[in-house]
Amino acid sequence: MNRVLISLGLALLAPLAQAAAADRWVQATRLMLRAEASPTAAIVGSLQQGSRVRLVTPNVGGGDWCMVEVSSGLVFAACRYLSEQPVAPPRAGEGGVPADRRWVGGSNLLLRAEPRPDAAVLGRLALNTALRLTGDNAGNGYCAVQRVDGDTTPGYTACRYLQTSPLAWQRISEPTQGGADNPDFDPARAFWIAPSWELMAHYARRLAQQREAQGEAAPKGADEQLERMKATLSGQVVPTAEPATVWPEWATVQREGSGMSGTLQLYGSQFDGGGQRRVAGLLGALPALPAAAPSWWRSDADLAGPQESVPSLAARFGGQVQWLHESLQPGSPNRGSVLPGGRIERLTQPLHRVSLLSSQALRDETVRPQFVSLSWDPTNDVMCEGWVGGFGSGETDAATYRRNGLTRPATPGPMTLFTFWSSRPLPAGPARWTRQVFKLDRDATGFVAGEWRTVDMDGDGIADLAWLQATGRGPGHLGDEPQHDDAWYRLLVANVAGRWRLLAVDTFSYGCGC
């Protein structure tokens, strides 16, 4: 079912809660929500009597329409059906509501032709669909019903999912109300009405706390309901609107000098304030790159930096963004955990992950880019999530790690200097490398030495990549700057269609910053 319509269908709030200044209550039996301020605009959902919305803009479209905010976003509703005072929801047998009125208290409730679980399915009933009881309990837990509006085909549905009043969605789906804990919060029930990662996290956190309180008497192993929640969510394709990263031309970076300190990620006391002159000094002191001409990289669609997000990669290379639960993946050490766990953001489109190696070779691996995150979890105050000291997109020698109180990750083979993404495999034949080492003036540039390495990937005599490493006193951690020199700064520029572009910057991380 369309996610927007589900969200709109669940927008009922605790109708008699304390009103905020912009709150309004639906006083119509059923209020249509439209995409635009017009009676002919597309209907994107509906709300029942007693639903609460937030008024954003009154008197739109000649004064008859109000822009309101519901759980799915901004929509339009007829202003005359919105009350400034709380409106009680309808209840069977009260206020003129027929005693045989019922409302669906679940999502996608099946309407069957006969009162048994194997009978033909006539349709699916959305949350808060208004029904009329057409007979006594048919036995086996089924009730004879028909819709009040629209298709009134009679049928049978499970009695336990029928309620005498519409469900006040946010009463069971919000952990807090008015800044206080919500005693009616029921993440499990809310999840199965409208599955979400956030509700799953709240259920898992509550479960973990219960088991901790029970101590040795707590159940062991996986929780069946939590595992079903994870499986329900895992694998979903999520819409994204993040554009592809735009890389500045290297000539522009050099021309703007100190104004590019943020782009170049040059920070610390030697580059702050008056020290920004050193940014321009460094750019001016670097040996010139070889002349660029069209070669291996034909357009921006051929490659991307290692720090680009998965949605940004999708915008550049195509493919979709998929969310998966980490604990369900093969070989996960967290299988069966009752904690909310990690969420994997993965690109469905395989790409080439190319690594520049210290042995002056290139490595090409075909993988699906992904990022594992804990920060999605609203119940977890994540600090320093996944932090590992050192470079984010490469490695350096063990001595640099030891000098800064860190341990170098154990990785076999030559060190990785930099990685990046490509839609094209490496060309046949070995790449041609050049290396240039040079001295720098500490006061003028903030560094004492630098190194350029260029890579001609296809052997046509035109450099396709250039890697810079600079040595000096790094920024340290939380203002505790080291008094020794490290090769702490790296950047990668790429020859894209005959122009050098700054693809990525990588700096040695001395601490998580939290």
Side-chain angles (χ1 to χ4, degrees), residues 154-188:
Y156 297 86
T157 194
C159 299
R160 67 181 182 276
Y161 294 115
L162 301 182
Q163 303 185 159
T164 57
S165 184
L167 176 66
W169 165 247
Q170 288 192 352
R171 181 173 60 82
I172 67 166
S173 66
E174 292 191 344
T176 61
Q177 288 187 348
D181 288 343
N182 175 15
D184 297 319
F185 179 47
D186 188 343

Side-chain angles (χ1 to χ4, degrees), residues 7 84 86 89 142 145 197 209 221 302 309 333 335 352 366 368 379 382 386 393 419 436 465 480 497:
S7 297
E84 296 182 2
Y142 283 86
V145 298
W197 288 83
Q209 292 170 347
D302 285 345
S309 69
R335 197 150 191 103
H352 297 272
T366 301
R368 287 183 172 86
T379 71
V382 177
S393 305
T419 61
Q436 182 181 12
L465 296 167
D480 184 15

Side-chain angles (χ1 to χ4, degrees), residues 290-335:
S295 184
W296 182 249
W297 308 118
R298 297 167 299 192
S299 74
D300 290 1
D302 285 345
L303 75 168
Q307 296 99 349
E308 289 199 33
S309 69
V310 175
S312 178
L313 293 177
R316 185 180 304 280
F317 297 115
Q320 297 176 306
V321 178
Q322 194 176 34
W323 285 352
L324 305 106
H325 201 282
E326 184 277 332
S327 73
L328 299 184
Q329 305 313 300
S332 170
N334 301 309
R335 197 150 191 103

